[in-house]
Amino acid sequence: MTAVEHDWRRTHAVIVAVERYNGSDALNLDGPVRDAIGMRKWLTGRGVPPENIRLLASPMEHNRAALEEAHPGYRPAERADVRKVFRDGLREIDGDWLWIYWAGHGVQAPGGRWSLLYPETSDTDLQGLDADSLMDLVRTDHVHWDGADRVTVVIDACRRALPLDIHELADVPQPLTNVTQTRSERPVFWMRACQAGAVAMEQDGAGRFTSALLRQLETAGADGPGLDLDRVWKGVQDEFAQVRATGSSRQYPTMHVINWEQEERTVRLGPPAPPPDPEKRRFRETLVLEASGLLGADAAGSAGRVAARLCEQFTTAPPATTPPSAEELVDWALENPHGTITLLAELSAHAPVRTEIRKACHVLQDQWLTRAEYTELVALLGRLDERGRYDVAEEARALFGLVDLSCHDPAVLADALEELLPKPDQLPQLLRVVERFAAVDDGAVAAGLRAWSLRCAERLGLKGQLMERRGEAEEYAEGVKAAGLAQDQRIQIRLHPSDGAGQRRAYEVWTRRGEDVTSLAKEDTPASLEEIQRGIDALLRRHARTRDTLVEFFVAPTDLELAVHRWQLDADGPLERSLGTDYPVVVRCTDLRDNQRHVWKQRWERVDSAGTEDLEWLPAHLDTFKQVHGVLQGQEDAPGVVLTTPLRARSDVFNACLFDGVPVLIWHGEAEAAAARAELTALLGTERLRSLPQHLRKLRSASEADESHHGRHMALLWDDPHRPLPDQLDLSAP
């Protein structure tokens, strides 16, 4: 049983209603706001305090007044707001029960994922949230271990498959989190309006599923403070059975329960699986006809030989009929991942599969590699270390802007790359990624990947295109190696000046490898330093390599004293540590550079060959812009400066150094004058300048174990004029 009796004042809720989209009027949906208001009314009627309810909405104009009356403090339901509430806001709750409700458009996106569309969606750009990630999120530290004892998730949205031409316009839905599920025992009761591939119906301007659910919640709540969700679900089941009996709907809601009774169970209403939609039925028939033709005159013998070869690759049992028919072979292939392409490859071993047949396979399974090709790719990626897989993901980001690729699991990385479905008669994007990586890496695994890539292209009849791309990749690799950029991977973070209210700031984040730049985030709404730290922590986990990735903070001259290297990673968890111990961290500032850009570049050219003994040590008594400028004008060859200026005068000294094109600047954040000089002399030693970021990282690591160690106070301006910030971001954060 799922009966729960508790104090409803300790319940929290997040309600999302999306009605208005950024496209034609046909995209808009009239009803989710009324459903959201109904869910809110039921919760407050049970005793949930209004302040415990976060409501996000994108309302139709004629529903706005009702929404403002019901919940005056509602927030927009745009992507950035949704991510902020779910990723950060849930950390703040302290209660017994968390309810999550979402109403709006939903589609079945590439890879079969369920995408809940954001208001930013347009007719040609379907952007959404990965619905399954809601289940993942509530079992991570995004909800503190004592923040909620149990969770109920309700989604009233379609999960229909789209026509192929529209399906190709849908983005892969974005997950809310990729962090480890640390609370896998947290009970979750998940209710969904329909099954995969189906439509959630409306009636009288409201979701039919939400209406039935609210009626059953009211009925179940009449018996007192307790609530039995099994009883509620049984009532929903009975209502939809009556509706289906009249023939007015074939909607089948689904329910999934995890750990509510220390067990996991899935309950579906109606048949165990929905019938395929008309388009999929048509493409299945196309495959059956193609298979029949390829079996040829000796159909029985050919089918038997093909079935024997497929037994080596498929995991499900072969058809009982011996030999199987073409229809049975197709259905057997549909039961197995990569099955349809594998079947067609076996049937047409000496000729590429026709374009329209590849299209049928994509519609039915969203895959284009054969089972053998996929297995070999996963094995090759598994032979790479994590750094190598990271480089593969980086090439995908650089070529196609993919920013949510995990490099930890070879199979997960292979799946994500394969979701880049090839266009007819064009080389698949995955093969371009492999060629770029292999050309730059040039190791034993790279050679295996090149051989694998060539075999795939030959099967597709695209060997000529592959060899052209291979030549381009080799030219690219030569340029990268000649410029010494093969390992030059960095994260660039722009921190905008504080708005004055509690140090809140907007910020942007990019990843750069050589000349390839990919935007990772743009937060236009000023955030606190703690919020920025959490956001950057999450991005670094996904896109950076500890110890290797240079993390650059671009700040205004007045913010050079921000001790960003002491910002915390995993601040709310058991693995708390400092940013500057895991990564080489530097600050940068491009202000005051325009008039002396040529001097800046000339000084930087000396950094490669210079050592710390070549730095200009500024006397502490030089504390005005004019004095420092005079010294630096006479030291035009100095690659950098060490300063021991008192804190009160550092602003003028910083400005003079920036104005005079100083690319390397070192100072002690706490000690002053003689004490600072002594500490800096001891800590810098005779290091080569090129190694300073890593040298400081090691010093900061030593200070974690010894709080008296001065390494924690050392700050470094490391301003490479050849790696500026990218152009200003114009799009919302991903």
Side-chain angles (χ1 to χ4, degrees):
M1 297 293 289
T2 60
V4 176
E5 184 170 346
H6 82 298
D7 183 356
W8 283 89
R9 292 172 298 180
R10 289 186 53 75
T11 293
H12 290 256
V14 178
I15 299 174
V16 183
V18 185
E19 290 187 332
R20 180 178 44 78
Y21 295 84
N22 190 32
S24 63
D25 289 342
L27 272 177
N28 293 333
L29 188 61
D30 188 6
V33 164
R34 285 190 287 273
D35 291 337
I37 292 173
M39 183 59 67
R40 182 190 184 281
K41 181 179 178 181
W42 176 78
L43 287 166
T44 55
R46 297 292 294 179
V48 178
E51 62 268 23
N52 286 8
I53 299 176
R54 295 167 172 82
L55 197 155
L56 301 92
S58 169
M60 298 281 284
E61 196 57 42
H62 59 271
N63 291 330
R64 188 181 300 277
L67 178 63
E68 291 175 346
E69 180 181 358
H71 198 99
Y74 81 90
R75 297 178 59 169
E78 269 76 22
R79 181 200 305 253
D81 296 277
V82 168
R83 290 175 67 84
K84 187 174 292 293
V85 167
F86 280 102
R87 291 168 62 89
D88 295 328
L90 296 185
R91 297 178 189 272
E92 302 170 4
I93 69 173
D94 176 19
D96 299 332
W97 203 338
L98 171 63
W99 285 70
I100 297 174
Y101 175 86
W102 186 294
H105 276 310
V107 299
Q108 193 161 306
R113 308 299 295 177
W114 188 6
S115 181
L116 304 176
L117 298 185
Y118 288 121
E120 289 92 331
T121 288
S122 67
D123 300 73
T124 58
D125 184 12
L126 278 62
Q127 306 176 38
L129 163 74
D130 190 323
D132 294 318
S133 72
L134 285 170
M135 181 77 79
D136 298 334
L137 181 88
V138 299
R139 304 172 77 195
T140 69
D141 285 335
H142 286 286
V143 181
H144 285 311
W145 69 271
D146 58 348
D149 295 333
R150 65 189 66 84
V151 181
T152 297
V153 181
V154 179
I155 298 179
D156 194 346
C158 299
R159 193 178 177 179
R160 59 175 179 163
L162 298 167
L164 182 63
D165 56 338
I166 300 178
H167 182 81
E168 293 175 345
L169 302 175
D171 286 350
V172 174
Q174 297 296 305
L176 283 170
T177 183
N178 290 317
V179 303
T180 304
Q181 294 188 31
T182 56
R183 287 300 311 275
S184 57
E185 77 285 357
R186 178 174 280 139
V188 181
F189 197 109
W190 194 14
M191 294 178 272
R192 300 161 289 198
C194 61
Q195 73 275 47
V199 174
M201 303 296 293
E202 287 194 350
Q203 185 178 35
D204 300 325
R208 177 171 276 170
F209 173 68
T210 297
S211 297
L213 177 62
L214 287 173
R215 282 192 293 271
Q216 296 306 318
L217 287 170
E218 290 285 359
T219 300
D223 296 335
L227 182 64
D228 186 347
L229 288 180
D230 275 334
R231 176 183 171 185
V232 170
W233 189 253
K234 179 63 167 58
V236 172
Q237 179 180 0
D238 292 342
E239 281 203 37
F240 275 90
Q242 293 173 8
V243 172
R244 289 195 302 275
T246 65
S248 59
S249 174
R250 289 188 57 78
Q251 183 175 345
Y252 295 97
T254 67
M255 175 263 281
H256 187 68
V257 182
I258 298 177
N259 289 340
W260 209 280
E261 302 167 279
Q262 299 306 310
E263 65 177 2
E264 183 167 339
R265 53 195 166 100
T266 299
V267 179
R268 293 184 176 87
L269 308 185
D277 59 57
E279 183 183 43
K280 289 192 174 183
R281 283 201 299 270
R282 177 167 60 84
F283 280 117
R284 174 187 171 278
E285 293 165 1
T286 299
L287 284 181
V288 171
L289 292 173
E290 182 76 7
S292 298
L294 291 171
L295 287 172
D298 182 21
S302 297
R305 289 190 292 272
V306 168
R309 292 195 296 270
L310 292 177
C311 280
E312 300 173 1
Q313 302 183 59
F314 289 175
T315 58
T316 63
T321 306
T322 305
S325 66
E327 184 172 18
E328 289 172 320
L329 284 173
V330 168
D331 287 340
W332 185 28
L334 287 170
E335 294 176 359
N336 290 269
H338 309 272
T340 55
I341 288 291
T342 302
L343 171 62
L344 268 295
E346 291 290 349
L347 289 171
S348 56
H350 303 293
V353 177
R354 293 185 294 119
T355 298
E356 54 268 35
I357 300 304
R358 288 213 306 270
K359 178 180 177 181
C361 294
H362 294 166
V363 170
L364 291 167
Q365 288 194 315
D366 282 340
Q367 295 165 334
W368 62 271
L369 292 173
T370 68
R371 186 63 187 170
E373 289 167 349
Y374 174 81
T375 301
E376 184 179 1
L377 175 61
V378 172
L380 286 166
L381 293 175
R383 287 173 56 193
L384 294 170
D385 58 17
E386 187 169 317
R387 179 170 181 166
R389 292 193 294 274
Y390 181 92
D391 288 340
V392 173
E394 276 296 299
E395 296 299 350
R397 295 183 185 109
L399 284 168
F400 305 112
L402 301 182
V403 297
D404 282 321
L405 295 181
S406 169
C407 61
H408 302 291
D409 187 330
V412 172
L413 178 57
D415 290 342
L417 293 171
E418 191 185 9
E419 287 180 4
L420 293 166
L421 294 177
K423 296 180 179 179
D425 302 319
Q426 291 187 16
L427 192 71
Q429 295 98 318
L430 168 55
L431 300 189
R432 289 185 60 191
V433 171
V434 166
E435 289 296 325
R436 276 269 291 251
F437 166 78
V440 173
D441 184 85
D442 203 24
V445 179
L449 284 167
R450 286 162 68 94
W452 173 89
S453 177
L454 180 59
R455 289 193 295 272
C456 288
E458 289 173 339
R459 175 178 66 80
L460 296 170
L462 298 173
K463 179 179 177 180
Q465 288 193 33
L466 178 82
M467 299 311 293
E468 290 180 12
R469 294 297 188 186
R470 181 169 289 182
E472 294 173 3
E474 289 170 349
E475 290 181 9
Y476 165 79
E478 289 174 4
V480 167
K481 293 172 182 176
L485 301 176
Q487 304 302 327
D488 181 23
Q489 198 267 341
R490 59 186 67 196
I491 297 290
Q492 296 183 320
I493 303 161
R494 182 208 297 270
L495 289 180
H496 291 272
S498 168
D499 63 1
Q503 291 287 300
R504 300 184 71 85
R505 305 161 189 270
Y507 68 96
E508 297 149 286
V509 186
W510 296 264
T511 180
R512 177 190 285 273
R513 186 171 181 228
E515 299 301 325
D516 295 322
V517 179
T518 303
S519 63
L520 301 182
K522 179 183 179 183
E523 293 292 343
D524 288 324
T525 303
S528 68
L529 292 181
E530 291 74 16
E531 291 170 332
I532 296 173
Q533 289 180 52
R534 288 200 297 269
I536 291 174
D537 187 1
L539 290 172
L540 291 175
R541 284 199 301 269
R542 291 159 55 193
H543 302 291
R545 294 189 296 250
T546 56
R547 298 190 299 276
D548 291 336
T549 300
L550 180 65
V551 180
E552 302 177 319
F553 284 86
F554 287 74
V555 298
T558 54
D559 283 335
L560 283 174
E561 293 278 25
L562 275 176
V564 291
H565 61 276
R566 289 164 62 179
W567 283 7
Q568 298 301 294
L569 301 176
D570 196 28
D572 299 323
L575 306 176
E576 183 178 359
R577 60 215 185 276
S578 298
L579 179 61
T581 64
D582 277 21
Y583 304 95
V585 176
V586 301
V587 292
R588 299 188 58 181
C589 181
T590 55
D591 291 9
L592 305 176
R593 297 290 199 184
D594 290 340
N595 293 333
Q596 303 282 0
R597 187 169 295 272
H598 64 291
V599 178
W600 180 21
K601 291 182 178 179
Q602 288 171 7
R603 292 186 189 276
W604 182 260
E605 296 304 320
R606 290 211 58 215
V607 170
D608 268 330
S609 58
T612 52
E613 66 275 10
D614 297 303
L615 296 172
E616 177 69 19
W617 286 71
L618 285 178
H621 68 274
L622 300 181
D623 58 3
T624 68
F625 180 95
K626 185 176 181 179
Q627 290 173 326
V628 176
H629 175 62
V631 170
L632 294 177
Q633 283 296 296
Q635 299 292 337
E636 64 270 14
D637 292 333
V641 165
V642 182
L643 66 89
T644 57
T645 309
L647 179 61
R648 58 176 173 75
R650 281 183 195 161
S651 177
D652 284 343
V653 177
F654 285 152
N655 286 340
C657 291
L658 294 170
F659 181 82
D660 281 285
V662 172
V664 178
L665 184 61
I666 305 173
W667 68 98
H668 192 294
E670 298 293 334
E672 298 184 359
R677 186 180 185 94
E679 293 297 340
L680 289 169
T681 301
L683 292 172
L684 289 176
T686 58
E687 283 292 318
R688 307 308 299 167
L689 290 193
R690 176 54 68 181
S691 66
L692 271 181
Q694 283 289 5
H695 180 60
L696 261 65
R697 185 192 65 79
K698 295 175 183 177
L699 291 175
R700 291 161 180 165
S701 297
S703 72
E704 293 287 274
D706 179 5
E707 293 190 1
S708 65
H709 195 293
H710 284 263
R712 70 171 53 232
H713 303 301
M714 290 187 69
L716 174 64
L717 175 89
W718 184 260
D719 225 344
D720 182 349
H722 304 293
R723 298 291 178 269
L725 272 176
D727 294 334
Q728 187 86 11
L729 283 174
D730 293 321
L731 300 178
S732 300

